[in-house]
């Protein structure tokens, strides 16, 4: 009997609903053409959930996310919610998902499609053939460390504290993910930290090396200070294969890496938890571009990051590597054919909106299947 995948869709805010709608169409194609049986319940998250329920993540939604084989996430946030108290902000919905599902490993590939090497703000020879993978620790560090608070001092001024904290086991498990993935690629890991100023950085470096020496001596490991890593990414990004780093540095470096590829509208991500005894692994897939409120609802958003996130879901959660590769090839093909959304538009190319870009991808899937 064929397996029925239990997918859970969280479109969220801004362009999230538009791009997740395109994922639904791709799901439909796989159901019709590739013997892909699934359920895809949908719920609110972020600002949309706040408007309906007064909270960015309800317990009922969290329960469904925990039970799903994979969560397909759009984006959260928007200027209309900027003034909300911290705990009600749309972003807290995503952070609760990451925290409660224990999605500690965030994989952010930055791949420059050959057809797009001219679309980057960097010189084509710097980004041509670029293929790096940022492995970001996602449930620790300053995002989740306590105390996290604002207090008022006796003299009336305010004092805000975030806490950067890492334990040995948190560093070990993310290091293992990075080394294991490096073995499937070019076998090189650069570990980015601030061990020159932060004690968490000192521990990070110590533990990454211990895991390396004991379990992955075949992988080439280099250390790089996070600030230097940011500079090296624009100077000579192809020196990197896998970059492993903490939650905050990973947030910053992955946006930077995204821009190397031409547009942040291109980049998918996977957030994975630990496998349980039965081999089940919590997982959430999301484009890294965010909610882009300025273009929301206009049919202009690039659906490729979200569609490629579904490709990552096929590969990492559903064990359908061939189907994942097919979808990636279809995207490559439409780009090679000259189809572009506004964010990656170049002279002489054909400009498409969100849904027309998906039409082109579905057509390419038909041609390739
Ligand atoms: C990301 C985003 C999130 C983060 C926000 C939306 C909470 O920037 O996934 O990179 O800071 O992690
Ligand atoms: Mg970010």
């Amino acid at each position: 009997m064929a397996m029925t995948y239990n997918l859970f869709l969280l479109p969220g805010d801004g362009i999230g609903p538009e791009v997740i709608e395109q994922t639904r169409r791709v799901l439909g194609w796989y159901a019709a053409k590739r013997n892909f049986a699934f359920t895809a319940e949908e719920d609110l998250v972020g600002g949309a959930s706040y408007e309906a329920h007064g909270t960015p993540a309800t317990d009922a939604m969290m329960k469904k996310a925990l039970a799903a084989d994979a969560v397909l996430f759009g984006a959260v946030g928007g200027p209309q919610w900027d003034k909300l108290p911290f705990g009600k902000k749309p972003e807290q919905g995503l952070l609760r998902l990451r925290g409660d599902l224990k999605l500690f490993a965030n994989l952010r590939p930055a791949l420059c499609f050959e057809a797009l090497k001219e679309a980057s703000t960097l010189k084509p020879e710097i980004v041509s053939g670029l293929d790096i993978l940022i492995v970001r620790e996602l449930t620790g560090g300053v995002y989740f460390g306590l105390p996290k608070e604002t207090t008022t001092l006796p003299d009336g001024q305010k004092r805000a504290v975030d806490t950067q904290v890492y334990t040995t086991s948190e560093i070990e498990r993310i290091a293992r993910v990075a080394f294991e993935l490096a073995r499937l690629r070019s076998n090189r890991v650069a570990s980015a930290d601030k061990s020159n100023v932060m004690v968490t950085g000192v521990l990070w470096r110590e533990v990454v090396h211990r895991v390396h020496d004991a379990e992955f001596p075949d992988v080439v490991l280099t250390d790089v200070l996070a600030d230097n890593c940011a500079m090296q990414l624009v100077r000579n990004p192809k020196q990197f294969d896998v970059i492993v780093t903490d939650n905050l540095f990973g947030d910053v470096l992955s946006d930077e890496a995204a821009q190397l590829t031409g547009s942040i509208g291109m980049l998918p991500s996977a957030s994975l938890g630990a496998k349980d005894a039965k081999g089940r692994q919590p997982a959430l897939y999301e484009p890294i571009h965010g909610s882009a409120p300025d273009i929301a609802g206009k049919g202009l958003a690039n659906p490729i990051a979200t569609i490629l996130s579904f490709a990552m879901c096929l590969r990492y959660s559903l064990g359908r590597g061939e189907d994942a590769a097919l979808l990636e090839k279809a995207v490559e093909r439409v780009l090679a054919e000259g189809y572009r959304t506004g964010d990656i538009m170049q002279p002489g190319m054909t400009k498409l909106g969100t849904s027309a870009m998906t039409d082109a991808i579905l057509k390419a899937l038909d041609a390739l299947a």
Side-chain angles (χ1 to χ4, degrees):
M1 207 178 80
M3 160 129 193
T4 298
Y5 306 114
N6 170 14
L7 305 176
F8 184 44
L9 274 47
L10 291 172
D13 309 321
I15 61 172
E18 295 161 65
V19 291
I20 288 292
E21 186 53 38
Q22 309 311 310
T23 301
R24 272 204 184 274
R25 299 178 60 204
V26 174
L27 283 168
W29 186 90
Y30 275 86
K33 305 285 169 69
R34 301 290 286 190
N35 193 23
F36 183 89
F38 70 97
T39 59
E41 205 184 325
E42 194 169 306
D43 208 340
L44 302 174
V45 70
S49 173
Y50 174 78
E51 296 302 333
H53 306 297
T55 167
T58 63
D59 293 342
M61 182 280 282
M62 289 303 307
K63 218 173 134 192
K64 288 183 241 172
L66 281 161
D69 291 320
V71 178
L72 302 178
F73 188 93
V76 286
Q80 64 271 52
W81 301 296
D82 276 354
K83 297 252 150 47
L84 285 180
F86 194 74
K88 302 271 184 200
K89 283 189 189 290
E91 290 76 8
Q92 294 301 317
L94 177 57
L95 294 176
R96 182 169 175 201
L97 282 159
R98 290 175 180 170
D100 288 12
L101 271 64
K102 303 188 173 64
L103 305 170
F104 70 90
N106 185 215
L107 315 186
R108 300 193 160 188
L111 193 130
C112 182
F113 286 92
E114 205 46 30
L116 287 187
K117 64 179 187 215
E118 310 278 344
S120 173
T121 44
L122 270 74
K123 296 190 187 106
E125 66 268 25
I126 301 289
V127 295
S128 167
L130 180 78
D131 180 2
I132 61 185
L133 176 65
I134 296 189
V135 177
R136 168 188 178 194
E137 199 291 326
L138 201 62
T139 51
V142 76
Y143 274 65
F144 290 90
L146 297 174
K148 192 179 199 66
E149 62 187 14
T150 309
T151 50
T152 305
L153 298 175
D155 68 358
Q157 65 166 325
K158 284 189 174 168
R159 179 173 187 269
V161 180
D162 292 293
T163 304
Q164 165 80 346
V165 49
Y166 272 108
T167 60
T168 304
S169 57
E170 283 176 317
I171 303 168
E172 280 170 355
R173 63 185 183 178
I174 193 69
R176 285 197 185 100
V177 170
F179 289 128
E180 270 158 20
L181 289 167
R183 277 183 176 160
L184 304 174
R185 299 167 48 95
S186 308
N187 220 32
R188 287 181 293 127
V189 171
S191 171
D193 62 45
K194 279 293 284 179
S195 55
N196 54 347
V197 285
M198 299 168 84
V199 288
T200 48
V202 173
L203 183 66
W204 181 277
R205 194 170 283 209
E206 198 180 293
V207 173
V208 168
H209 278 268
R210 191 158 32 68
V211 172
H212 171 263
D213 296 351
E215 301 169 39
F216 304 91
D218 53 301
V219 178
V220 180
L221 170 64
T222 48
D223 300 300
V224 57
L225 293 173
D227 53 345
N228 185 33
C229 185
M231 190 266 279
Q232 295 297 337
L233 271 174
V234 285
R235 193 183 75 87
N236 175 20
K238 283 186 266 181
Q239 70 185 283
F240 295 115
D241 178 23
V242 173
I243 297 174
V244 64
T245 192
D246 81 4
N247 204 343
L248 183 62
F249 300 144
D251 181 44
V252 175
L253 294 174
S254 62
D255 265 33
E256 188 188 2
Q259 179 54 29
L260 301 175
T261 70
S263 166
I264 198 168
M266 297 294 299
L267 289 204
S269 78
S271 304
L272 307 173
K275 279 199 179 110
D276 69 12
K278 289 186 208 136
R280 269 198 89 234
Q281 183 175 34
L284 179 147
Y285 297 87
E286 66 176 310
I288 85 157
H289 49 57
S291 60
D294 51 320
I295 58 162
K298 297 184 181 157
L300 298 175
N302 184 347
I304 292 178
T306 309
I307 288 174
L308 290 176
S309 297
F310 175 58
M312 290 187 88
C313 172
L314 286 166
R315 178 171 293 119
Y316 291 108
S317 285
L318 310 180
R320 296 177 72 124
E322 246 174 66
D323 279 329
L326 181 67
L327 190 48
E328 288 159 352
K329 267 206 205 87
V331 168
E332 202 177 325
R333 185 176 172 126
V334 302
L335 294 172
E337 284 169 344
Y339 295 116
R340 299 285 185 274
T341 41
D343 56 313
I344 49 174
M345 187 56 190
Q346 295 160 281
M349 303 288 153
T350 313
K351 191 163 166 181
L352 302 177
T354 310
S355 142
M357 178 54 95
T358 312
D359 292 342
I361 292 169
L362 296 178
K363 222 175 111 197
L365 280 170
D366 278 333
L368 289 165

PDB file of all heavy atoms in Angstrom, residues 259-286:
ATOM      1  N   GLN A 259      21.980  36.516  -1.090  1.00  0.00           N
ATOM      2  CA  GLN A 259      22.144  37.579  -2.082  1.00  0.00           C
ATOM      3  C   GLN A 259      23.204  37.221  -3.126  1.00  0.00           C
ATOM      4  O   GLN A 259      23.152  37.682  -4.262  1.00  0.00           O
ATOM      5  CB  GLN A 259      22.443  38.904  -1.386  1.00  0.00           C
ATOM      6  CG  GLN A 259      22.649  40.092  -2.314  1.00  0.00           C
ATOM      7  CD  GLN A 259      21.491  40.307  -3.294  1.00  0.00           C
ATOM      8  OE1 GLN A 259      20.347  39.978  -2.997  1.00  0.00           O
ATOM      9  NE2 GLN A 259      21.792  40.825  -4.470  1.00  0.00           N
ATOM     10  N   LEU A 260      24.149  36.353  -2.758  1.00  0.00           N
ATOM     11  CA  LEU A 260      25.170  35.915  -3.724  1.00  0.00           C
ATOM     12  C   LEU A 260      24.529  35.213  -4.913  1.00  0.00           C
ATOM     13  O   LEU A 260      25.042  35.230  -6.021  1.00  0.00           O
ATOM     14  CB  LEU A 260      26.154  34.935  -3.074  1.00  0.00           C
ATOM     15  CG  LEU A 260      26.930  35.420  -1.864  1.00  0.00           C
ATOM     16  CD1 LEU A 260      27.745  34.277  -1.291  1.00  0.00           C
ATOM     17  CD2 LEU A 260      27.833  36.573  -2.248  1.00  0.00           C
ATOM     18  N   THR A 261      23.393  34.576  -4.653  1.00  0.00           N
ATOM     19  CA  THR A 261      22.766  33.750  -5.689  1.00  0.00           C
ATOM     20  C   THR A 261      21.861  34.564  -6.601  1.00  0.00           C
ATOM     21  O   THR A 261      21.219  34.008  -7.476  1.00  0.00           O
ATOM     22  CB  THR A 261      21.920  32.634  -5.063  1.00  0.00           C
ATOM     23  OG1 THR A 261      20.762  33.244  -4.462  1.00  0.00           O
ATOM     24  CG2 THR A 261      22.697  31.873  -4.022  1.00  0.00           C
ATOM     25  N   GLY A 262      21.765  35.847  -6.402  1.00  0.00           N
ATOM     26  CA  GLY A 262      20.944  36.667  -7.289  1.00  0.00           C
ATOM     27  C   GLY A 262      19.767  37.251  -6.548  1.00  0.00           C
ATOM     28  O   GLY A 262      19.476  38.415  -6.645  1.00  0.00           O
ATOM     29  N   SER A 263      19.072  36.430  -5.779  1.00  0.00           N
ATOM     30  CA  SER A 263      17.919  36.946  -5.065  1.00  0.00           C
ATOM     31  C   SER A 263      17.589  36.053  -3.890  1.00  0.00           C
ATOM     32  O   SER A 263      17.672  34.833  -3.972  1.00  0.00           O
ATOM     33  CB  SER A 263      16.695  37.001  -5.970  1.00  0.00           C
ATOM     34  OG  SER A 263      15.525  37.196  -5.198  1.00  0.00           O
ATOM     35  N   ILE A 264      17.175  36.683  -2.813  1.00  0.00           N
ATOM     36  CA  ILE A 264      16.736  35.929  -1.644  1.00  0.00           C
ATOM     37  C   ILE A 264      15.443  35.166  -1.980  1.00  0.00           C
ATOM     38  O   ILE A 264      15.063  34.240  -1.284  1.00  0.00           O
ATOM     39  CB  ILE A 264      16.595  36.885  -0.438  1.00  0.00           C
ATOM     40  CG1 ILE A 264      16.588  36.111   0.868  1.00  0.00           C
ATOM     41  CG2 ILE A 264      15.379  37.782  -0.587  1.00  0.00           C
ATOM     42  CD1 ILE A 264      16.752  36.984   2.082  1.00  0.00           C
ATOM     43  N   GLY A 265      14.800  35.534  -3.075  1.00  0.00           N
ATOM     44  CA  GLY A 265      13.582  34.843  -3.524  1.00  0.00           C
ATOM     45  C   GLY A 265      13.840  33.455  -4.085  1.00  0.00           C
ATOM     46  O   GLY A 265      12.909  32.765  -4.506  1.00  0.00           O
ATOM     47  N   MET A 266      15.099  33.037  -4.110  1.00  0.00           N
ATOM     48  CA  MET A 266      15.459  31.745  -4.696  1.00  0.00           C
ATOM     49  C   MET A 266      15.741  30.666  -3.665  1.00  0.00           C
ATOM     50  O   MET A 266      15.846  29.504  -4.003  1.00  0.00           O
ATOM     51  CB  MET A 266      16.727  31.902  -5.545  1.00  0.00           C
ATOM     52  CG  MET A 266      16.598  32.823  -6.731  1.00  0.00           C
ATOM     53  SD  MET A 266      15.458  32.167  -7.942  1.00  0.00           S
ATOM     54  CE  MET A 266      16.292  30.640  -8.365  1.00  0.00           C
ATOM     55  N   LEU A 267      15.938  31.075  -2.401  1.00  0.00           N
ATOM     56  CA  LEU A 267      16.558  30.120  -1.480  1.00  0.00           C
ATOM     57  C   LEU A 267      15.609  29.406  -0.534  1.00  0.00           C
ATOM     58  O   LEU A 267      14.869  30.025   0.222  1.00  0.00           O
ATOM     59  CB  LEU A 267      17.633  30.823  -0.655  1.00  0.00           C
ATOM     60  CG  LEU A 267      18.879  31.210  -1.407  1.00  0.00           C
ATOM     61  CD1 LEU A 267      20.043  31.334  -0.457  1.00  0.00           C
ATOM     62  CD2 LEU A 267      19.226  30.228  -2.501  1.00  0.00           C
ATOM     63  N   PRO A 268      15.641  28.080  -0.556  1.00  0.00           N
ATOM     64  CA  PRO A 268      14.823  27.259   0.324  1.00  0.00           C
ATOM     65  C   PRO A 268      15.545  26.984   1.638  1.00  0.00           C
ATOM     66  O   PRO A 268      16.722  27.302   1.772  1.00  0.00           O
ATOM     67  CB  PRO A 268      14.716  25.955  -0.459  1.00  0.00           C
ATOM     68  CG  PRO A 268      16.055  25.824  -1.135  1.00  0.00           C
ATOM     69  CD  PRO A 268      16.475  27.251  -1.452  1.00  0.00           C
ATOM     70  N   SER A 269      14.863  26.386   2.591  1.00  0.00           N
ATOM     71  CA  SER A 269      15.548  25.903   3.786  1.00  0.00           C
ATOM     72  C   SER A 269      14.787  24.745   4.391  1.00  0.00           C
ATOM     73  O   SER A 269      13.585  24.578   4.164  1.00  0.00           O
ATOM     74  CB  SER A 269      15.698  27.018   4.820  1.00  0.00           C
ATOM     75  OG  SER A 269      14.483  27.236   5.502  1.00  0.00           O
ATOM     76  N   ALA A 270      15.531  23.939   5.133  1.00  0.00           N
ATOM     77  CA  ALA A 270      14.948  22.826   5.883  1.00  0.00           C
ATOM     78  C   ALA A 270      15.347  22.988   7.332  1.00  0.00           C
ATOM     79  O   ALA A 270      16.499  23.311   7.619  1.00  0.00           O
ATOM     80  CB  ALA A 270      15.485  21.496   5.354  1.00  0.00           C
ATOM     81  N   SER A 271      14.403  22.781   8.244  1.00  0.00           N
ATOM     82  CA  SER A 271      14.708  22.793   9.673  1.00  0.00           C
ATOM     83  C   SER A 271      14.344  21.429  10.231  1.00  0.00           C
ATOM     84  O   SER A 271      13.179  21.023  10.171  1.00  0.00           O
ATOM     85  CB  SER A 271      13.903  23.878  10.385  1.00  0.00           C
ATOM     86  OG  SER A 271      14.156  25.135   9.790  1.00  0.00           O
ATOM     87  N   LEU A 272      15.350  20.740  10.745  1.00  0.00           N
ATOM     88  CA  LEU A 272      15.156  19.338  11.128  1.00  0.00           C
ATOM     89  C   LEU A 272      15.421  19.122  12.606  1.00  0.00           C
ATOM     90  O   LEU A 272      16.314  19.737  13.184  1.00  0.00           O
ATOM     91  CB  LEU A 272      16.105  18.440  10.315  1.00  0.00           C
ATOM     92  CG  LEU A 272      16.067  18.603   8.785  1.00  0.00           C
ATOM     93  CD1 LEU A 272      17.164  17.775   8.140  1.00  0.00           C
ATOM     94  CD2 LEU A 272      14.697  18.220   8.253  1.00  0.00           C
ATOM     95  N   GLY A 273      14.653  18.189  13.187  1.00  0.00           N
ATOM     96  CA  GLY A 273      14.884  17.786  14.561  1.00  0.00           C
ATOM     97  C   GLY A 273      15.655  16.476  14.596  1.00  0.00           C
ATOM     98  O   GLY A 273      16.199  16.036  13.588  1.00  0.00           O
ATOM     99  N   ALA A 274      15.692  15.866  15.775  1.00  0.00           N
ATOM    100  CA  ALA A 274      16.381  14.578  15.911  1.00  0.00           C
ATOM    101  C   ALA A 274      15.412  13.460  15.539  1.00  0.00           C
ATOM    102  O   ALA A 274      14.211  13.570  15.785  1.00  0.00           O
ATOM    103  CB  ALA A 274      16.857  14.412  17.338  1.00  0.00           C
ATOM    104  N   LYS A 275      15.934  12.385  14.959  1.00  0.00           N
ATOM    105  CA  LYS A 275      15.101  11.213  14.665  1.00  0.00           C
ATOM    106  C   LYS A 275      14.745  10.501  15.967  1.00  0.00           C
ATOM    107  O   LYS A 275      15.595  10.345  16.839  1.00  0.00           O
ATOM    108  CB  LYS A 275      15.886  10.234  13.779  1.00  0.00           C
ATOM    109  CG  LYS A 275      15.868  10.611  12.322  1.00  0.00           C
ATOM    110  CD  LYS A 275      16.233   9.408  11.438  1.00  0.00           C
ATOM    111  CE  LYS A 275      16.174   9.825   9.985  1.00  0.00           C
ATOM    112  NZ  LYS A 275      17.454   9.922   9.298  1.00  0.00           N
ATOM    113  N   ASP A 276      13.470  10.081  16.094  1.00  0.00           N
ATOM    114  CA  ASP A 276      13.109   9.311  17.279  1.00  0.00           C
ATOM    115  C   ASP A 276      13.389   7.824  17.031  1.00  0.00           C
ATOM    116  O   ASP A 276      13.923   7.453  15.985  1.00  0.00           O
ATOM    117  CB  ASP A 276      11.650   9.576  17.686  1.00  0.00           C
ATOM    118  CG  ASP A 276      10.640   9.002  16.692  1.00  0.00           C
ATOM    119  OD1 ASP A 276      11.037   8.212  15.809  1.00  0.00           O
ATOM    120  OD2 ASP A 276       9.449   9.357  16.801  1.00  0.00           O
ATOM    121  N   ALA A 277      13.015   6.987  18.003  1.00  0.00           N
ATOM    122  CA  ALA A 277      13.326   5.559  17.913  1.00  0.00           C
ATOM    123  C   ALA A 277      12.713   4.924  16.670  1.00  0.00           C
ATOM    124  O   ALA A 277      13.259   3.974  16.111  1.00  0.00           O
ATOM    125  CB  ALA A 277      12.847   4.853  19.177  1.00  0.00           C
ATOM    126  N   LYS A 278      11.562   5.447  16.230  1.00  0.00           N
ATOM    127  CA  LYS A 278      10.903   4.881  15.051  1.00  0.00           C
ATOM    128  C   LYS A 278      11.411   5.511  13.747  1.00  0.00           C
ATOM    129  O   LYS A 278      10.852   5.258  12.679  1.00  0.00           O
ATOM    130  CB  LYS A 278       9.389   5.087  15.145  1.00  0.00           C
ATOM    131  CG  LYS A 278       8.719   4.233  16.196  1.00  0.00           C
ATOM    132  CD  LYS A 278       7.190   4.414  16.109  1.00  0.00           C
ATOM    133  CE  LYS A 278       6.537   4.187  17.448  1.00  0.00           C
ATOM    134  NZ  LYS A 278       5.513   5.211  17.755  1.00  0.00           N
ATOM    135  N   GLY A 279      12.395   6.393  13.850  1.00  0.00           N
ATOM    136  CA  GLY A 279      12.936   7.015  12.648  1.00  0.00           C
ATOM    137  C   GLY A 279      12.167   8.247  12.208  1.00  0.00           C
ATOM    138  O   GLY A 279      12.441   8.823  11.164  1.00  0.00           O
ATOM    139  N   ARG A 280      11.187   8.657  13.015  1.00  0.00           N
ATOM    140  CA  ARG A 280      10.437   9.883  12.676  1.00  0.00           C
ATOM    141  C   ARG A 280      11.270  11.107  13.020  1.00  0.00           C
ATOM    142  O   ARG A 280      11.883  11.181  14.084  1.00  0.00           O
ATOM    143  CB  ARG A 280       9.124   9.946  13.472  1.00  0.00           C
ATOM    144  CG  ARG A 280       7.949   9.326  12.762  1.00  0.00           C
ATOM    145  CD  ARG A 280       6.636   9.805  13.378  1.00  0.00           C
ATOM    146  NE  ARG A 280       6.155  11.026  12.765  1.00  0.00           N
ATOM    147  CZ  ARG A 280       5.850  12.132  13.438  1.00  0.00           C
ATOM    148  NH1 ARG A 280       5.961  12.197  14.726  1.00  0.00           N
ATOM    149  NH2 ARG A 280       5.411  13.193  12.789  1.00  0.00           N
ATOM    150  N   GLN A 281      11.259  12.077  12.125  1.00  0.00           N
ATOM    151  CA  GLN A 281      12.060  13.270  12.337  1.00  0.00           C
ATOM    152  C   GLN A 281      11.204  14.511  12.075  1.00  0.00           C
ATOM    153  O   GLN A 281      10.727  14.712  10.966  1.00  0.00           O
ATOM    154  CB  GLN A 281      13.238  13.250  11.358  1.00  0.00           C
ATOM    155  CG  GLN A 281      14.192  14.396  11.516  1.00  0.00           C
ATOM    156  CD  GLN A 281      15.394  14.258  10.597  1.00  0.00           C
ATOM    157  OE1 GLN A 281      15.275  13.741   9.491  1.00  0.00           O
ATOM    158  NE2 GLN A 281      16.544  14.711  11.056  1.00  0.00           N
ATOM    159  N   PRO A 282      10.972  15.329  13.095  1.00  0.00           N
ATOM    160  CA  PRO A 282      10.197  16.546  12.872  1.00  0.00           C
ATOM    161  C   PRO A 282      10.907  17.442  11.850  1.00  0.00           C
ATOM    162  O   PRO A 282      12.139  17.511  11.847  1.00  0.00           O
ATOM    163  CB  PRO A 282      10.161  17.233  14.232  1.00  0.00           C
ATOM    164  CG  PRO A 282      10.990  16.435  15.156  1.00  0.00           C
ATOM    165  CD  PRO A 282      11.487  15.214  14.469  1.00  0.00           C
ATOM    166  N   ALA A 283      10.132  18.097  11.005  1.00  0.00           N
ATOM    167  CA  ALA A 283      10.754  18.885   9.943  1.00  0.00           C
ATOM    168  C   ALA A 283       9.846  20.021   9.499  1.00  0.00           C
ATOM    169  O   ALA A 283       8.620  19.861   9.425  1.00  0.00           O
ATOM    170  CB  ALA A 283      11.072  17.997   8.752  1.00  0.00           C
ATOM    171  N   LEU A 284      10.448  21.139   9.218  1.00  0.00           N
ATOM    172  CA  LEU A 284       9.723  22.294   8.699  1.00  0.00           C
ATOM    173  C   LEU A 284      10.523  22.862   7.535  1.00  0.00           C
ATOM    174  O   LEU A 284      11.737  22.992   7.608  1.00  0.00           O
ATOM    175  CB  LEU A 284       9.549  23.320   9.817  1.00  0.00           C
ATOM    176  CG  LEU A 284       8.828  24.633   9.503  1.00  0.00           C
ATOM    177  CD1 LEU A 284       8.062  25.111  10.746  1.00  0.00           C
ATOM    178  CD2 LEU A 284       9.781  25.736   9.075  1.00  0.00           C
ATOM    179  N   TYR A 285       9.797  23.188   6.462  1.00  0.00           N
ATOM    180  CA  TYR A 285      10.446  23.698   5.258  1.00  0.00           C
ATOM    181  C   TYR A 285       9.928  25.091   4.968  1.00  0.00           C
ATOM    182  O   TYR A 285       8.722  25.303   4.947  1.00  0.00           O
ATOM    183  CB  TYR A 285      10.160  22.745   4.084  1.00  0.00           C
ATOM    184  CG  TYR A 285      10.760  21.382   4.364  1.00  0.00           C
ATOM    185  CD1 TYR A 285      10.056  20.410   5.082  1.00  0.00           C
ATOM    186  CD2 TYR A 285      12.063  21.097   3.991  1.00  0.00           C
ATOM    187  CE1 TYR A 285      10.638  19.190   5.406  1.00  0.00           C
ATOM    188  CE2 TYR A 285      12.651  19.875   4.303  1.00  0.00           C
ATOM    189  CZ  TYR A 285      11.937  18.940   5.007  1.00  0.00           C
ATOM    190  OH  TYR A 285      12.521  17.741   5.338  1.00  0.00           O
ATOM    191  N   GLU A 286      10.844  26.019   4.736  1.00  0.00           N
ATOM    192  CA  GLU A 286      10.392  27.394   4.489  1.00  0.00           C
ATOM    193  C   GLU A 286      11.361  28.114   3.559  1.00  0.00           C
ATOM    194  O   GLU A 286      12.564  27.883   3.597  1.00  0.00           O
ATOM    195  CB  GLU A 286      10.267  28.182   5.807  1.00  0.00           C
ATOM    196  CG  GLU A 286      11.589  28.403   6.487  1.00  0.00           C
ATOM    197  CD  GLU A 286      11.533  29.263   7.744  1.00  0.00           C
ATOM    198  OE1 GLU A 286      10.947  30.359   7.723  1.00  0.00           O
ATOM    199  OE2 GLU A 286      12.103  28.845   8.757  1.00  0.00           O
TER     200      GLU A 286
END
